[in-house]
Each structure stands twice: as structure tokens, then as C-alpha cells.
Amino acid sequence: MSPESLKDGIFTPYSDVWSFGVVLWEIATLAEQPYQGMANEQVLHYVMDNGILEKPENCPDRLHDLMRWCWQKNPKNRPSFIQILESIKDELQPSFQQLSFFLQHPPQT
């Protein structure tokens, strides 16, 4: 969870973006446990002290940069999901681009 969610129980699209960054990390590590070896209380303090997960082995810099963007301590410095999509849309496979709701053009009338 994001620092503000842990500290104040605040859940917003900004905290969802933080969690999305953790999901990206889990994908990059092939489902490793985040904060492995830390107790819940340790994770709470680590995250609230601006601690972030380490770059996974063999993780492309571009993906790690996206994770770190999601993990900005100030929620307003995190990207929106639209900004995330905008930042990666040129790297998506053409087949995904054709099926993506985000990238579909409205039908011509």
C-alpha cells in the first residue's frame, strides 16, 4: 500500500497507482513476494520512510523507471493511469493496440 494509505487509511487513484507499481514489480520478478523477509510492521515503517522496492534482476530500465514514477512519495507527483498509458502506448504490440479500449478510435458515422 502507498504511504498515505498505510498512515491515514486514504485510498485514491493515486494510491492505486502506487499499488500498480508494486504489481509491475511482481510481474518483473515472476511473482516474488514484495518486501520479502520483512515483518508487516517493518514494511509499514520502510514504506512510510520513503523506502521502495529494489530494481528486479534483468528488469529493463524503462520498466523500473515506470515503477519508480508510481512510487513517488507525494501522491500528486505520481502519474495517472492515462499518463501511464500515454507513456507506453508506442511500445505496445500492434495487436494490443487494435484491441485496446484506450487506443480505439470512435466509429465513423
Side-chain angles (χ1 to χ4, degrees), residues 6-103:
L6 291 169
K7 183 179 178 209
D8 301 318
I10 295 173
F11 298 91
T12 66
Y14 296 119
S15 60
D16 292 343
V17 166
W18 177 285
S19 297
F20 177 71
V22 175
V23 170
L24 292 175
W25 184 91
E26 290 174 319
I27 291 168
T29 62
L30 303 176
E32 282 186 23
Q33 172 96 19
Y35 312 103
Q36 200 164 32
M38 296 174 101
N40 289 343
E41 187 77 17
Q42 291 173 305
V43 172
L44 183 129
H45 291 294
Y46 181 75
V47 172
M48 289 177 50
D49 290 337
N50 208 28
I52 60 171
L53 294 162
E54 291 185 19
K55 180 180 177 184
E57 188 175 325
N58 300 318
C59 178
D61 289 337
R62 175 83 178 93
L63 180 57
H64 187 242
D65 290 344
L66 179 56
M67 291 177 206
R68 291 178 6 157
W69 193 20
C70 292
W71 297 331
Q72 294 297 303
K73 182 159 181 124
N74 181 339
K76 294 186 181 194
N77 291 337
R78 296 178 202 148
S80 67
F81 283 108
I82 296 295
Q83 288 174 303
I84 291 170
L85 284 169
E86 286 289 343
S87 76
I88 64 170
K89 72 179 182 181
D90 293 337
E91 299 172 46
L92 300 173
Q93 295 290 325
S95 60
F96 180 84
Q97 291 180 7
Q98 291 171 350
L99 298 173
S100 169
F101 174 80
F102 173 73
L103 296 172

